[in-house]
Structures are given as structure tokens and as C-alpha cells.
Amino acid sequence: MKLLRHGPKGQVRPGILDAKGQVRDLSPVMADITPQVLSSAGLAALRSMDVQQLPVVSPTELAVPWSGMGKFICIGLNYADHAQESNLPIPKEPIIFMKPLSAVVGPDHAVVLPQGSVKSDWEVELGVVIGTTARYVSEDQALKHVAGYCVVNDLSEREYQMDRGGTWDKGKGCDTFGPVGPWLVTADEVPDPQNLSMWLEVNGHRFQKGSTRTMIFGVAQLVSYVSRFMTLYPGDLISTGTPPGVGMGVKPNPVYLKPGDVMRLGIESLGEQHQKVHAWDPALIDG
């Protein structure tokens, strides 16, 4: 199943994509796509429905595909070639950092550069959505705790991240720096999360072209590993790292985002995102 939410802020409604690619309105049968819906029982109940009986709608604005995200956990340098282009060593264990929930926006929402930004960058990533509580889970059981997968753009202000000391969080957590969606694709439709092509373009130029095959630490390993350090709850999101081709890695002169740029990115079977980059404007963040 491909689950989604649509509508303007304060009027978001749940939906599901049918076999013909039409959006069916789920609001007659549920108020929202909550963490409870992402449980095994909740998804089983959804699968038992005849979605063809639900009304067809034409969304004008897509939101984050589920509500109630408790944690936005990210994995750094999880592709060896991206670590190389970043001039950083290949990690021996997964690097964990967090994005604040204030960074999370829908897949086509405006990306707003923070004040004084000179090195804002893009990163297409596979998102893993937790469906059942995971605490000290083994690697061979880890995928049983996954409700589904989604596209994430892990935007980063590299000057804040690299040049100004401290942790990565201040370069990763800017408002609008975490577009998620367009859909949450349930795990049964993604039989092998380690075999998905992924790409990202800026102004029509393809900068990133990779595959989840080249992850250093795979999805099952990451879910297991992260669950040793924090309990993962339904609705939590793990963003699993980016392949090479970020702006910081362009030689000889890095390329960074500027107002007016348009990003387009996607992952095989998980849909596409489109974002226009804007100069600082709080109305675009809060609207």
C-alpha cells in the first residue's frame, strides 16, 4: 500500500493510492494515519478494505505521509563513496544524529534557506518508518518492526555543520530541511530495501545517482543498532544516508543551493519529491 496525507496545514486528510494511481480518501474510515495505523494490526485492517469504494480526490498539496512522528533519526556517511567525497573516514559503526521535528515538511514544500546560508546542500535518502516498538532487537528480526519506506531529502547547511564547531545537528536541523514523502510505501511492497535505485536533480542536472545496494550498514543492521541506544516507537523515522553526488563533493568547485533552484529527487517504487528553494521567509515556514 501507498499511504499519504494531503491538504493545507490544519486541514490534512488521510489517503491511499489505488492500483490506477488515483488517490482515494481515507477520511470516511479513519481520522488520520497515526502510529497506531502503522502497527501490524492497523495495516492488516487497511488491507482488508475495498479501497475502490472510497471516494477519489485530487490533492493539491501533499503533507508528511503519517502523523505522530516521535523521532527523526539520521545516519551519517553510510555510503563509502559519499564519505570519500566528504573527505571523511569510512565509519566503523553507524553515525547517529537527529533532526528536530520542526525540520519536517511535506515532499513538495518550499525549502527555505536559513539566514546567512552560503553552503546549503541536498541529500536523497531512504527513510525507514517504524511500525512496532523496537528495543534491543536482533538483526534477523529487525525488518519485522518496519511499517514501510519513504523518500527523504536530508538537507544540510555545510558551514553550520562542518565549520562552526560542535555536532552536526545545527547544520541539519534548519526549518524545512527534512522533506518526507510523497508516500509511505508499506514494507510488503518493498521486498528488498537494499536494491533500490535513487537519484536527485537540481535545475534538471542529475547530481546524485546511486543505489541502496552500496550502503555500508543495511536497513536491518541500522534498525537493530539504533534500537540498542534508544527505543524505537511506531511512527519514528530513520533516514539511512546518502549516495555520492552532493553539492559539497563537486570538484573543483562545490555547488550549493540558492533561491530559485528546483530540486527533484526520487527512489525506485517510493515516488518523487519536488522542492523550490527560497530565501529566508518565515511565512513560507509557518504557512
Side-chain angles (χ1 to χ4, degrees):
M1 295 181 292
K2 294 180 174 66
L3 305 178
L4 57 95
R5 294 164 71 242
H6 63 95
K9 190 174 182 179
Q11 303 176 46
V12 175
R13 300 162 68 93
I16 187 170
L17 211 64
D18 69 16
K20 296 181 179 179
Q22 301 177 111
V23 176
R24 299 279 177 166
D25 185 15
L26 281 173
S27 59
V29 294
M30 64 177 60
D32 203 353
I33 299 171
T34 64
Q36 290 71 32
V37 173
L38 302 182
S39 68
S40 298
L43 292 178
L46 265 179
R47 289 190 189 96
S48 70
M49 294 179 187
D50 182 3
V51 299
Q52 301 304 316
Q53 300 303 312
L54 297 171
V56 175
V57 293
S58 299
T60 57
E61 182 177 345
L62 291 177
V64 178
W66 71 100
S67 65
M69 184 188 303
K71 293 190 287 292
F72 191 161
I73 303 155
C74 299
I75 307 299
L77 302 178
N78 196 28
Y79 290 73
D81 33 15
H82 173 54
Q84 183 178 20
E85 73 175 350
S86 303
N87 296 314
L88 293 168
I90 295 172
K92 296 179 180 178
E93 293 191 35
I95 295 171
I96 299 173
F97 63 93
M98 310 279 280
K99 277 185 182 277
L101 298 184
S102 55
V104 181
V105 291
D108 303 331
H109 193 282
V111 166
V112 181
L113 300 178
Q115 292 184 17
S117 170
V118 294
K119 294 184 179 180
S120 287
D121 204 347
W122 55 81
E123 295 187 12
V124 59
E125 304 199 0
L126 172 67
V128 179
V129 186
I130 300 300
T132 59
T133 300
R135 183 183 293 122
Y136 292 104
V137 299
S138 62
E139 202 170 315
D140 64 335
Q141 296 295 309
L143 294 185
K144 295 180 180 179
H145 296 267
V146 174
Y149 302 91
C150 61
V151 182
V152 174
N153 191 353
D154 173 23
L155 288 139
S156 313
E157 215 301 341
R158 302 299 189 189
E159 184 193 26
Y160 298 1
Q161 178 190 3
M162 303 289 196
D163 303 339
R164 295 178 62 173
T167 65
W168 288 3
D169 297 63
K170 62 189 174 188
K172 296 283 191 172
C174 304
D175 294 332
T176 75
F177 271 30
V180 175
W183 316 307
L184 186 163
V185 181
T186 52
D188 59 298
E189 293 197 7
V190 187
D192 185 3
Q194 302 307 149
N195 190 28
L196 300 173
S197 60
M198 52 204 308
W199 53 271
L200 182 144
E201 297 175 352
V202 180
N203 301 330
H205 177 79
R206 185 155 294 193
F207 283 93
Q208 290 191 277
K209 184 178 180 182
S211 170
T212 58
R213 290 192 306 272
T214 64
M215 283 184 184
I216 299 168
F217 308 105
V219 171
Q221 192 172 1
L222 290 173
V223 172
S224 174
Y225 183 85
V226 173
S227 78
R228 302 178 204 172
F229 301 99
M230 63 192 82
T231 300
L232 297 170
Y233 291 105
D236 286 351
L237 173 64
I238 303 175
S239 196
T240 57
T242 197
V246 299
M248 176 178 63
V250 175
K251 303 292 190 294
N253 299 310
V255 177
Y256 294 114
L257 294 168
K258 62 186 184 303
D261 285 347
V262 175
M263 289 177 285
R264 181 169 166 262
L265 58 147
I267 299 178
E268 180 183 353
S269 303
L270 303 185
E272 295 184 9
Q273 299 184 357
H274 305 81
Q275 295 117 23
K276 186 172 182 179
V277 180
H278 296 260
W280 172 255
D281 183 349
L284 293 173
I285 296 168
D286 300 327

